[in-house]
Amino acid sequence: MKILSGPMLRRLESNCAYIWLVIQGEFDVASLSAQTWLGSEQLSGDCECTAIKLSESLHAVMVCLKAPAGGWPEANSVGYDLCYEQQSMFQSAYFEGPLPLYHGEAYPSFRYYSRITQMMSASCRKPHGAKQDALAAYDRKIEQSGPLNKLPDVLFLTGDQIYADDVDPQVAQLIYQYSGELFPDEALAEQGQNRLSLDSIGWRNRNLLLNKENGFYTTAGEYHLLGFREYLTMYLLAWGGLCRDLPEPVIPMPTKHNNGELSKRQIDQDRAVWRSYNKARNFVGQSWRVRRLLAHVPSYMMCDDHEVTDDWNLSAQIQAQLSAPGSLGQQVVTNALTAFALCQAWGNAPEQYHELITQTLPAFIDGLTEYNAQQYQDTFKKLTTLNFTVLSATQPPALILDTRTQRAFRPGKPFAPLLMNDTALSQVKALLATLEPNTQELVVVSPAPVFGFTELEQLQLGAVSMLKHQGATRFDGECWISDAAQMQALTDNLLTLPALSHCYLLSGDVHYGYCRSHKKSHPANSHSVDFWQLTSSSVSNAPTGILETSLKMLHQGTVLGLSINPFKRKNTQYLKPVNWQGKFLSGHLNLGWLNLTDKRYTMSILRPNGKWSDWQYDLTKPDLLE
């Protein structure tokens, strides 16, 4: 028996802690138990375990650790041990690679706080997107610093935990081979007279199936994930469960000895393959660190587009194509959302998703060996109408927004998405109504920034306006300001909290980091409400191409040789970091850190040399860029 993913600490409440993991091998949930410890003193041995069968050899498990009477001891390190047949599982026999333990630990630990003050946010982890992984680098920093009280109180992952559409070829080969070992074959929607399956199509040339007619507009679809088993296995890889080396590319690395035999174009292509491979290999080799970090820090997470496919629900046309009954598009989206529900959403609110996890999804997964269009249609409808927006168990509370499955488009505006439809916003309002009326602080997790980098967003929307569908897919014309009325409706709903004074908006998606403020007068009593847009992106996918060029031009103040100042408005609300050095946007890998004790936000930037530098923002005395 092996633990292929996890243990991952998820929702942490005053009287329980949820631990998620995936187990391979012969497994009986009745033989699984758990204990919690305060130093050498046992706190509780009470737990509830829920398991669902993914294949003959694989189970996803959620363990609910019960606190002793009176709840978890405030701010103390609570160790947790998972046992199988009364034997601790924190030993090498149960893991591939290093144990998810810091030096001196016998088992992982967590700290419960009735009020959280230290929050970390992160997004966008593409295996071949950069030479480094900021989450893995942060784990190394914790390892070197010693005391675990420097870990954040909670981690918010704001989208793109995996990349299903943009896959390095060697990662694709590993995913294909290993998923075939873990799961049976999966049938695909019929393509004309052809009956296909994952085993029959291989791991290459997926772009021949995933075409624009099916709703797939990604430009990197050659190794696109298709099956549920592939999406699930990608999560195992990203979160440190598959400690295997990647197979090397079959093409030799160009050297000075064979350069003369190849054209310059071929040399460039071959070198690009090896650069991608080396990045991905380093990512996989360091992912055990992310596993260790996630075993110690409670986390909430939401999907964005790359967990499914690039440009998912970007336009009304794409939404219709990827929703068509009996289509390959609907099949892929359903497979992806099933993996998301199991690996991400379940841990956000285990009780809320109990029926989905224990009743709906097992029957769906069990039937994947034969393609059943009605089964896919029913599961797709269930997953896309459910709405994955949830409230955290933290104080201050966090509202985690589903901005992908709840999209809509106004008549005559097929390229201007409402990131959340009217029904979803009504549900937001209902969730907020369950909070104490004296709630003054609220955290909102929105994968796309609510108050974005307006200058760049307007460039994107301008391209969409001119080029229509081509502009939307090329320039990612999706942001809250694509429909100003719906953005206003969101903020109006947030202001139904009568005492709200500070709203912290944590976002990712855009591949750069920045801080912005926005003030609104509360409609109830006219007191001032501060909205803080805190954007951290990305963990391992630095900006490239048009985005990288645009950021450089905007910072340098030139476009096509013309001198401009895109930030010239006198009352602009972008914040300058303390010790201002001329830039307020960072395209480097970064993690966001919000400290509510002294009202400071820190963008921890990972430099190419592996060292960290911090951009700090004092929210008590915001220094606005003018």
Side-chain angles (χ1 to χ4, degrees):
M1 181 189 297
K2 294 283 186 181
I3 300 177
L4 288 191
S5 194
M8 186 186 297
L9 177 61
R10 296 302 312 273
R11 189 179 181 96
L12 178 58
E13 301 178 358
S14 62
N15 59 357
C16 62
Y18 290 94
I19 311 295
W20 176 89
L21 61 158
V22 174
I23 293 177
Q24 180 190 18
E26 293 186 12
F27 172 72
D28 177 11
V29 69
S31 298
L32 185 64
S33 60
Q35 302 177 72
T36 53
W37 301 83
L38 186 62
S40 59
E41 177 185 352
Q42 184 177 355
L43 282 177
S44 173
D46 189 12
C47 72
E48 291 183 2
C49 303
T50 302
I52 81 160
K53 188 176 181 180
L54 304 178
S55 71
E56 284 300 319
S57 64
L58 214 62
H59 291 79
V61 183
M62 187 70 74
V63 180
C64 177
L65 306 174
K66 301 294 186 68
W72 302 118
E74 178 82 14
N76 284 293
S77 179
V78 174
Y80 64 91
D81 190 12
L82 303 178
C83 303
Y84 193 74
E85 296 180 343
Q86 305 303 313
Q87 183 181 36
S88 174
M89 300 181 76
F90 289 105
Q91 48 186 310
S92 58
Y94 289 97
F95 289 87
E96 290 187 359
L99 298 180
L101 304 174
Y102 289 103
H103 180 70
E105 283 190 317
Y107 27 70
S109 60
F110 61 84
R111 295 173 187 266
Y112 171 77
Y113 297 92
S114 56
R115 171 177 166 77
I116 60 172
T117 59
Q118 310 288 335
M119 307 175 209
M120 180 181 284
S121 63
S123 73
C124 306
R125 287 186 70 228
K126 185 168 78 170
H128 62 290
K131 294 181 180 180
Q132 303 178 89
D133 179 340
L135 279 179
Y138 180 75
D139 172 86
R140 185 184 299 108
K141 183 178 180 180
I142 291 296
E143 178 183 67
Q144 295 170 348
S145 65
L148 296 187
N149 58 9
K150 292 185 178 180
L151 288 167
D153 302 342
V154 66
L155 170 63
F156 294 107
L157 296 172
T158 58
D160 298 339
Q161 271 70 261
I162 65 168
Y163 277 68
D165 58 287
D166 187 354
V167 185
D168 173 82
Q170 303 314 117
V171 171
Q173 183 179 354
L174 177 64
I175 293 293
Y176 179 77
Q177 293 174 343
Y178 198 66
S179 66
E181 297 174 20
L182 296 174
F183 296 88
D185 195 10
E186 290 182 29
L188 298 177
E190 293 183 9
Q191 305 297 301
Q193 300 299 315
N194 297 322
R195 292 191 175 186
L196 304 175
S197 71
L198 293 181
D199 285 352
S200 69
I201 65 170
W203 55 277
R204 302 181 179 91
N205 302 319
R206 302 292 182 86
N207 54 313
L208 300 180
L209 291 174
L210 304 182
N211 50 47
K212 292 180 181 180
E213 287 70 29
N214 282 325
F216 294 92
Y217 290 82
T218 177
T219 58
E222 186 173 2
Y223 309 102
H224 200 302
L225 306 184
L226 294 178
F228 163 74
R229 75 184 196 187
E230 296 176 337
Y231 279 91
L232 197 286
T233 305
M234 181 63 91
Y235 279 105
L236 304 184
L237 180 78
W239 287 342
L242 305 185
C243 294
R244 298 188 175 190
D245 205 359
L246 292 181
E248 288 192 354
V250 294
I251 59 173
M253 175 66 180
T255 67
K256 62 181 180 181
H257 299 294
N258 60 16
N259 276 357
E261 304 170 6
L262 304 171
S263 67
K264 183 181 185 305
R265 181 179 180 182
Q266 188 63 54
I267 290 172
D268 291 342
Q269 290 177 344
D270 291 353
R271 284 177 176 170
V273 168
W274 276 89
R275 280 196 301 270
S276 176
Y277 163 73
N278 287 326
K279 290 176 184 177
R281 185 176 183 228
N282 188 59
F283 178 97
V284 173
Q286 292 292 303
S287 61
W288 66 269
R289 292 188 173 278
V290 177
R291 171 188 237 180
R292 178 168 65 177
L293 181 66
L294 294 174
H296 291 78
V297 180
S299 59
Y300 294 86
M301 54 188 75
M302 185 51 67
C303 72
D304 203 12
D305 56 341
H306 290 290
E307 280 97 340
V308 179
T309 185
D310 194 20
D311 298 331
W312 173 37
N313 289 352
L314 180 64
S315 71
Q317 176 181 324
I318 293 175
Q319 186 179 58
Q321 289 173 314
L322 294 179
S323 303
S327 69
L328 184 62
Q330 187 193 69
Q331 181 179 26
V332 171
V333 172
T334 307
N335 289 336
L337 286 178
T338 300
F340 158 74
L342 285 165
C343 298
Q344 295 195 56
W346 188 11
N348 288 340
E351 295 302 317
Q352 182 173 324
Y353 299 123
H354 183 76
E355 180 183 350
L356 174 72
I357 297 298
T358 60
Q359 297 182 32
T360 303
L361 297 187
F364 169 73
I365 294 169
D366 191 51
L368 291 177
T369 54
E370 298 290 335
Y371 178 72
N372 184 318
Q374 187 61 52
Q375 182 184 47
Y376 266 102
Q377 170 68 8
D378 293 344
T379 309
F380 174 84
K381 184 176 180 180
K382 178 78 171 180
L383 290 169
T384 53
T385 58
L386 184 62
N387 190 357
F388 291 100
T389 295
V390 297
L391 274 174
S392 71
T394 59
Q395 288 298 328
L399 179 70
I400 295 96
L401 299 179
D402 177 1
T403 61
R404 280 287 170 180
T405 74
Q406 301 302 301
R407 292 193 173 188
F409 297 85
R410 299 192 192 279
K413 295 185 177 181
F415 306 113
L418 287 68
L419 301 197
M420 298 182 75
N421 59 35
D422 292 339
T423 301
L425 288 184
S426 296
Q427 291 173 316
V428 164
K429 190 174 182 179
L431 283 174
L432 295 176
T434 67
L435 299 177
E436 294 293 331
N438 62 349
T439 299
Q440 297 183 15
E441 294 180 303
L442 178 69
V443 177
V444 175
V445 176
S446 170
V450 177
F451 299 103
F453 177 25
T454 303
E455 284 69 19
L456 192 54
E457 289 181 341
Q458 288 176 337
L459 288 175
Q460 292 172 304
L461 294 178
V464 173
S465 178
M466 289 187 295
L467 302 175
K468 305 302 180 186
H469 205 279
Q470 182 181 8
T473 56
R474 180 174 296 179
F475 294 94
D476 284 340
E478 51 184 340
C479 47
W480 278 97
I481 65 166
S482 64
D483 190 284
Q486 206 71 352
M487 177 179 170
Q488 181 66 43
L490 171 67
T491 55
D492 287 347
N493 282 352
L494 299 177
L495 290 172
T496 58
L497 290 173
L500 184 67
S501 60
H502 290 278
C503 182
Y504 305 97
L505 300 149
L506 306 181
S507 302
D509 178 52
V510 292
H511 301 272
Y512 49 85
Y514 68 95
C515 186
R516 183 176 180 179
S517 74
H518 183 79
K519 284 186 178 291
K520 296 200 75 167
S521 179
H522 199 291
N525 50 28
S526 297
H527 74 266
S528 181
V529 181
D530 286 309
F531 288 84
W532 304 101
Q533 178 63 64
L534 311 173
T535 305
S536 172
S537 178
S538 65
V539 170
S540 60
N541 194 7
T544 58
I546 294 174
L547 177 58
E548 181 183 24
T549 302
S550 298
L551 290 175
K552 288 181 178 178
M553 288 193 303
L554 289 171
H555 260 133
Q556 293 168 354
T558 59
V559 175
L560 299 178
L562 302 176
S563 178
I564 64 168
N565 182 3
F567 320 115
K568 64 184 178 182
R569 292 180 299 173
K570 184 176 181 181
N571 297 316
T572 182
Q573 298 297 296
Y574 300 107
L575 270 63
K576 295 189 295 187
V578 178
N579 299 323
W580 164 253
Q581 295 181 355
K583 292 186 177 182
F584 76 101
L585 285 167
S586 174
H588 292 290
L589 306 184
N590 62 84
L591 301 173
W593 189 288
L594 175 61
N595 184 341
L596 291 183
T597 300
D598 57 9
K599 294 289 194 299
R600 281 183 175 268
Y601 178 71
T602 302
M603 193 193 310
S604 290
I605 296 170
L606 183 60
R607 299 293 183 183
N609 61 7
K611 295 183 179 180
W612 294 91
S613 62
D614 290 343
W615 286 11
Q616 293 192 347
Y617 301 84
D618 186 348
L619 304 186
T620 65
K621 300 176 182 177
D623 187 5
L624 300 181
L625 182 68
E626 296 182 355

